[in-house]
Amino acid sequence: MTSKDSQNIDLQEEAGAKFHRGSALSIFASDRREDFMALLFAMLIALGVYLLVN
């Protein structure tokens, strides 16, 4: 694999636009699951801060 090809491992194309979907090294099966887990952790952190400050 050349260095030019290594930059295109996670290259996606949608509606004519090309973009990198992010890291190819993920513990999640899908981007949607990763987004929901990030949202859940953010909500738990916000709840913890709310309870500690209040």
Side-chain angles (χ1 to χ4, degrees), residues 31-51:
D31 288 339
R32 183 173 298 247
R33 179 172 288 171
E34 184 176 359
D35 292 342
F36 280 124
M37 291 302 293
L39 180 62
L40 176 67
F41 286 132
M43 288 172 36
L44 288 174
I45 291 170
L47 178 64
V49 169
Y50 176 75
L51 293 175

Side-chain angles (χ1 to χ4, degrees), residues 10 12 14 19-39:
D10 60 349
Q12 302 276 326
E14 185 174 311
F19 63 95
H20 290 274
R21 77 173 265 282
S23 175
L25 302 173
S26 179
I27 61 170
F28 298 99
S30 69
D31 288 339
R32 183 173 298 247
R33 179 172 288 171
E34 184 176 359
D35 292 342
F36 280 124
M37 291 302 293
L39 180 62

